[in-house]
Amino acid sequence: AYPLGMFGGLFVWPKLSDSIGRRPIIVFSLFCSGVGFLLQAAVVSLGWSLWLFLALRVGSGALAGASPVIKACIADLAREDE
């Protein structure tokens, strides 16, 4: 479920980073991933529905799909001779 969400987020985050900027997208993505993992832990510990857990996994994956943005940031920071 998590990779499915990441696949969906791969199409959204790069376009948003071009319009908003990379830093806000990375911060937002990391924050929402953390919140998603906390919610997943709550669902497991409280014994709630498997479907809710899977939906949170998809959502967390979609919000964590900013890896192309991070890779573009690293490419911009690297020197030509590296």
Side-chain angles (χ1 to χ4, degrees), residues 39-58:
L39 289 173
Q40 291 169 41
V43 166
V44 169
S45 67
L46 296 174
W48 290 349
S49 167
L50 174 65
W51 293 109
L52 179 60
F53 176 76
L54 291 176
L56 285 170
R57 290 291 292 169
V58 171

